[in-house]
Amino acid sequence: YLHCSNILKNSFGYTAEDVIHHNLIVSIVNLSSYIIITYLSYKIYPLIILRFRLTIFWVFILTTPYSLQNVHTPFQVLLIQSFFIIFRPDAFPAVPIYIKHFPIFKRFTYTSWLFALSRATMHIVTSFGMVFLVKYFGNIGILIIIIPVSLGFLFGLNHFEKLEKESKELSIEDSGTYALK
C-alpha cells in the first residue's frame, strides 16, 4: 500500500481520494483471496497452501523491481498489488497449526508476544526503512526488505512442517494404528 501509493501519486497524478479508492479495490481483492484460501484450506492442508503461495511469490518477486519501473497505467499497479496481496508470505490459513505447537500454559503469552513484536517490527521497517531504501536504491530497495522476510518465513514454514511430521509419526506410534501414513 505504502510504496504503490507513492507511485500512483507521483507517476499518475492521483489525489489522496484516488489513492484511497485504489487501495479499497486492493482490500477487496485481499478479502476475496482470504475467502478463497479459507475454502481451499478445507480441501488442501494449510501448510501445502503456504508452500505453494511462497513458491509463486518467489518467482514473482524477482521481477517486481522491473515491473514497478515499467508500469504505464494504474491498472498495472493494481495487478501488481493484487498479486502481492494474494501470494504474500502470510501465516493464514495455518495459524492454528502454528499455535498448537506452543506449550499450552505459555501459548497465549508466546503467541501474543510474537504477534505484537512482528507488527511493531514491520511497522518500523515499512514506515521508515522502505522510504529510505526506495529513495537510495529505487525499486530494488523493496527486495532488501522482502527477501530476508520471505527467507525467515521459509525457515518458519520448514520448522512447522517438521514439527507436524514428527507429531503425526508420534500419534501413529502411540495409537498403534497406521491409518495416518
Side-chain angles (χ1 to χ4, degrees):
Y1 292 102
L2 180 74
H3 181 63
C4 289
S5 295
N6 290 333
I7 291 173
L8 291 170
K9 285 190 282 186
N10 298 335
S11 298
F12 301 108
Y14 267 38
T15 64
E17 182 180 320
D18 294 334
V19 170
I20 290 170
H21 181 262
H22 183 91
N23 285 342
L24 173 66
I25 295 170
V26 175
S27 296
I28 291 169
V29 170
N30 188 24
L31 176 64
S32 301
S33 72
Y34 274 176
I35 291 169
I36 292 167
I37 290 170
T38 300
Y39 176 75
L40 285 175
S41 68
Y42 181 70
K43 303 283 186 186
I44 302 170
Y45 194 63
L47 293 179
I48 293 172
I49 294 171
L50 292 184
R51 173 76 57 183
F52 175 77
R53 286 173 63 195
L54 185 62
T55 303
I56 298 297
F57 181 79
W58 266 96
V59 170
F60 176 71
I61 195 61
L62 298 175
T63 63
T64 299
Y66 175 77
S67 301
L68 287 174
Q69 192 66 33
N70 295 309
V71 292
H72 301 293
T73 64
F75 183 70
Q76 290 174 332
V77 175
L78 177 69
L79 290 177
I80 292 170
Q81 283 181 298
S82 297
F83 202 85
F84 261 96
I85 288 292
I86 294 169
F87 293 103
R88 71 182 181 262
D90 186 10
F92 180 78
V95 174
I97 294 170
Y98 294 163
I99 290 174
K100 79 177 187 179
H101 289 289
F102 286 93
I104 290 176
F105 293 117
K106 300 283 186 172
R107 189 172 289 171
F108 179 77
T109 304
Y110 289 170
T111 57
S112 298
W113 175 252
L114 286 173
F115 180 80
L117 187 62
S118 72
R119 294 301 177 253
T121 303
M122 288 312 295
H123 178 72
I124 292 168
V125 167
T126 56
S127 296
F128 301 108
M130 182 77 80
V131 173
F132 292 113
L133 288 172
V134 171
K135 179 179 177 182
Y136 294 116
F137 297 107
N139 289 325
I140 293 176
I142 297 170
L143 294 179
I144 296 171
I145 293 175
I146 290 179
I147 289 175
V149 169
S150 57
L151 284 173
F153 184 81
L154 177 64
F155 175 76
L157 181 60
N158 288 337
H159 176 72
F160 283 103
E161 284 175 341
K162 185 180 95 178
L163 289 176
E164 278 293 289
K165 183 179 177 186
E166 289 173 0
S167 70
K168 286 187 182 191
E169 288 173 0
L170 272 175
S171 66
I172 291 170
E173 291 172 4
D174 291 345
S175 66
T177 63
Y178 296 96
L180 291 176
K181 278 193 175 178

